[in-house]
């Protein structure tokens, strides 16, 4: 089955269970500062940005099986950049 999504919001809604699961996993590993939005932004900007023909299965697999430290590094880098821009 070839699913098409008409908006990023629709895709986000379909991926929400996987995003919640990853968020729970991160929180259990004491990374409570990482939000679902952070996880979504990581994948949109770092993993899927230049990908073609991604399936929903591929995206869920990415979310559930990406190493937590990669998301943590992304979030820390993003927060550091925002702090530097504020100064």
């Amino acid at each position: 089955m070839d699913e098409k999504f008409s908006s990023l919001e629709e895709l986000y809604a379909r991926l929400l269970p996987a995003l919640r699961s990853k968020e729970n996993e991160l929180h259990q590993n004491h990374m409570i500062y990482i939000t679902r939005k952070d996880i979504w932004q990581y994948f949109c900007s770092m993993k899927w940005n230049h990908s073609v023909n991604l399936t929903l299965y591929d995206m869920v697999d990415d979310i559930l099986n990406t190493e937590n430290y990669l998301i943590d590094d992304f979030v820390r880098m993003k927060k550091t950049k925002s702090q530097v821009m504020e100064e």
Side-chain angles (χ1 to χ4, degrees), residues 1-14:
M1 183 165 123
D2 192 19
E3 290 195 56
K4 303 283 183 198
F5 299 97
S6 59
S7 68
L8 280 176
E9 290 81 15
E10 186 181 343
L11 176 60
Y12 179 86
R14 286 300 304 269

Side-chain angles (χ1 to χ4, degrees), residues 11-51:
L11 176 60
Y12 179 86
R14 286 300 304 269
L15 291 171
L16 198 50
L19 292 166
R20 282 186 188 132
S21 178
K22 188 56 142 181
E23 181 183 41
N24 288 337
E25 178 184 329
L26 290 162
H27 289 184
Q28 288 174 355
N29 286 297
H30 309 289
M31 298 177 208
I32 58 173
Y33 49 87
I34 298 177
T35 66
R36 242 176 274 150
K37 183 179 174 186
D38 292 326
I39 299 165
W40 171 253
Q41 288 175 341
Y42 167 78
F43 286 103
C44 287
S45 65
M46 303 299 287
K47 189 91 170 160
W48 303 326
N49 193 23
H50 301 292
S51 299

